[in-house]
């Protein structure tokens, strides 16, 4: 392999060293793409009609996504200016980190968690402070609180945690928020909130309704449960002045009219959405139980994915899934995330997973009790 060519202009060295985002590859026609936590269902009824009707391509969209903001504000009982819409919740994450953090500042988050978090800190010029997960792949909130210093500007909590799956409980989050300095932003990333079935899980909107912690901003998305990943649209709920700061760092007009129309149409289909979410959650639970029975030590799964803690064997084991037409998401040295996809994919995932767990060394942390 040849060395990469020199960059012809002066680029910040930390940016030059930052790896570009690598999207999961597409599956073959007879395979399954289970690498991106995409929804296996088609768009909700009425969504495609709404998108097709947004035909004024020669006009800019509403820069504020005002109708969607108003609809979400009504839904969650807040004022319109307490809602911010952007091109996916990761865009809002970027905006919030840029708004709060710069050189000399720190951003605290659990690790391993969403792979974008370290890069967001680097782009802002800040330092990422990565707090290891517990042995059962959960956030260690006391350790995260202890990691906060005078330099900390933002803390990110991901529930359910992507890619490992466990939730943060409401009680643990409340205790955590109570000890975080009030001038430090807490970003509660709830991209997978709709799939959660654990009644003890934190609910960001419940946190906000209590009005005890104005430094908390809640992120959600239409990419996962609503199946609009291809249109890139997500939202934040929080204090209007914090969201104003995020809006100040955003790229104008990044939410297309098609995305806004699709989101509005999706909100009209609450009953069908909940039916589909129940199917995916049941499929997830069934998959997790069967993986444990096959010999895997599977953490609590509360998103639309399961986690195989494969450790050093991750890349080798991911190759076995790939060879079987199952495109999964390996995180070298840590594990494999497998999205809950079509029903026809479940038995195939279980067959490969059961065959490769036998290749793990005795005493491997990925082995369960089976």
């Amino acid at each position: 392999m040849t060395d990469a060519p020199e960059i012809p202009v002066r680029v910040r060295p930390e940016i030059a060293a930052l790896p570009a985002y690598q999207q999961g590859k597409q599956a073959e026609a007879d395979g399954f793409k289970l690498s991106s936590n995409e929804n296996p269902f088609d768009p909700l009824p009425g969504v495609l009609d709404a998108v097709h009707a947004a035909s004024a391509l020669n006009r800019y969209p509403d820069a504020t996504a005002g109708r969607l903001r108003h609809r979400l504000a009504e839904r969650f009982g807040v004022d319109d200016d307490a809602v911010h819409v952007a091109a996916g919740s990761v865009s809002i994450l970027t905006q919030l980190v840029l708004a709060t953090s710069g050189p000399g500042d720190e951003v605290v988050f659990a690790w391993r968690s969403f792979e974008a978090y370290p890069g967001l800190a680097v782009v802002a010029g800040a330092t990422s402070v990565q707090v290891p997960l517990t042995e059962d792949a959960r956030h260690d909130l006391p350790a995260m609180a202890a990691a906060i210093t005078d330099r900390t500007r933002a803390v990110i909590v991901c529930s359910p945690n992507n890619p490992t799956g466990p939730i943060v409980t409401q009680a643990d989050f409340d205790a955590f928020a109570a000890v975080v300095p009030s001038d430090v932003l807490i970003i509660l990333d709830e991209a997978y909130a709709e799939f959660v079935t654990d009644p003890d899980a934190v609910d960001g909107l419940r946190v906000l309704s209590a009005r005890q912690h104005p430094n908390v901003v809640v992120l959600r998305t239409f990419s996962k449960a609503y199946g609009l990943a291809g249109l890139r649209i997500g939202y934040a709920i929080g204090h209007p002045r914090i969201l104003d700061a995020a809006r100040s760092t955003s790229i104008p007009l990044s939410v297309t009219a098609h995305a806004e129309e699709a989101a509005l149409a999706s909100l009209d289909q609450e009953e069908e959405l909940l039916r589909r979410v129940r199917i995916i959650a049941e499929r997830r639970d069934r998959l997790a139980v069967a993986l444990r029975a096959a010999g895997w030590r599977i953490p609590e799964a509360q998103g639309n994915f399961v986690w195989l803690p494969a450790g050093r064997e991750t890349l080798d084991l991911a190759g076995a899934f790939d060879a079987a037409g199952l495109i999964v998401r390996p995180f070298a040295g840590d594990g494999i995330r497998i999205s809950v996809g079509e029903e026809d994919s479940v038995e195939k995932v279980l067959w490969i997973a059961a065959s490769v767990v036998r290749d793990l060394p005795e005493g491997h942390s990925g082995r369960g009790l089976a």
Side-chain angles (χ1 to χ4, degrees):
M1 184 173 64
T2 59
D3 292 335
E6 292 292 326
I7 301 175
V9 298
R10 285 179 287 183
V11 172
R12 288 165 50 196
E14 64 271 28
I15 298 298
L18 191 66
Y21 176 78
Q22 296 293 320
Q23 185 178 17
K25 69 178 183 179
Q26 297 298 316
E28 299 294 334
D30 59 346
F32 296 96
K33 184 183 179 211
L34 307 175
S35 58
S36 299
N37 292 347
E38 295 159 328
N39 193 317
F41 289 103
D42 291 334
L44 289 160
V47 168
L48 291 180
D49 289 340
V51 170
H52 291 153
S55 58
L57 300 183
N58 57 315
R59 302 295 183 187
Y60 287 116
D62 175 2
T64 69
R67 288 187 301 135
L68 180 58
R69 287 175 63 206
H70 181 68
R71 181 75 176 274
L72 291 168
E74 286 187 327
R75 181 186 181 92
F76 298 125
V78 298
D79 295 333
D80 289 14
D81 58 359
V83 181
H84 175 42
V85 175
S89 57
V90 70
S91 294
I92 305 176
L93 267 169
T94 304
Q95 294 161 14
L96 289 168
V97 172
L98 287 172
T100 58
S101 310
D105 298 329
E106 295 175 345
V107 180
V108 175
F109 51 87
W111 195 252
R112 173 172 289 276
S113 194
F114 181 34
E115 62 195 288
Y117 295 160
L120 297 181
V122 170
V123 170
T127 299
S128 64
V129 177
Q130 302 178 9
V131 179
L133 297 172
T134 63
E135 287 189 3
D136 56 353
R138 297 177 178 277
H139 280 51
D140 188 340
L141 291 182
M144 290 177 65
I148 295 173
T149 71
D150 290 340
R151 297 171 60 191
T152 305
R153 297 294 177 268
V155 182
I156 307 172
V157 176
C158 185
S159 180
N161 187 50
N162 173 24
T164 62
I167 52 95
V168 169
T169 69
Q170 184 73 54
D172 286 347
F173 184 86
D174 289 344
F176 175 72
V179 300
V180 173
S182 60
D183 60 352
V184 171
L185 173 65
I186 303 174
I187 303 170
L188 179 55
D189 187 350
E190 292 190 303
Y192 301 92
E194 291 85 359
F195 300 106
V196 172
T197 54
D198 187 335
D200 293 329
V202 64
D203 180 346
L205 301 173
R206 176 180 170 185
V207 173
L208 296 179
S209 66
R211 301 183 184 276
Q212 294 178 333
H213 303 292
N215 58 326
V216 174
V217 170
V218 175
L219 302 185
R220 293 195 175 180
T221 184
F222 286 95
S223 294
K224 309 303 181 185
Y226 288 91
L228 300 183
L231 289 176
R232 308 303 303 127
I233 186 162
Y235 61 96
I237 311 289
H239 192 287
R241 293 296 291 127
I242 298 175
L243 298 186
D244 283 345
R247 286 185 270 263
S248 296
T249 67
S250 67
I251 298 174
L253 302 162
S254 59
V255 176
T256 67
H258 297 82
E260 183 179 15
E261 294 293 350
L264 287 165
S266 295
L267 291 173
D268 290 334
Q269 296 293 329
E270 183 76 8
E271 184 175 343
E272 176 61 15
L273 170 76
L274 294 176
R275 185 188 73 83
R276 294 180 179 190
V277 165
R278 284 194 297 269
I279 291 172
I280 293 172
E282 184 277 331
R283 196 174 293 168
R284 171 202 69 204
D285 292 346
R286 181 160 35 97
L287 183 59
V289 167
L291 287 168
R292 293 185 187 108
W296 280 99
R297 183 171 176 256
I298 302 298
E300 177 194 30
Q302 286 287 299
N304 65 335
F305 52 88
V306 294
W307 175 250
L308 305 184
R312 289 180 295 180
E313 286 69 36
T314 289
L315 296 183
D316 289 339
L317 270 56
F321 285 96
D322 191 23
L326 299 169
I327 309 304
V328 297
R329 193 59 174 267
F331 297 89
D334 287 328
I336 299 169
R337 188 190 68 197
I338 304 176
S339 306
V340 177
E342 295 82 355
E343 177 63 32
D344 290 346
S345 71
V346 173
E347 286 302 319
K348 200 168 185 179
V349 167
L350 290 174
W351 184 75
I352 298 298
S355 68
V356 299
V357 73
R358 295 192 292 267
D359 296 330
L360 296 178
E362 289 295 328
H364 190 284
S365 60
R367 282 183 175 271
L369 299 178

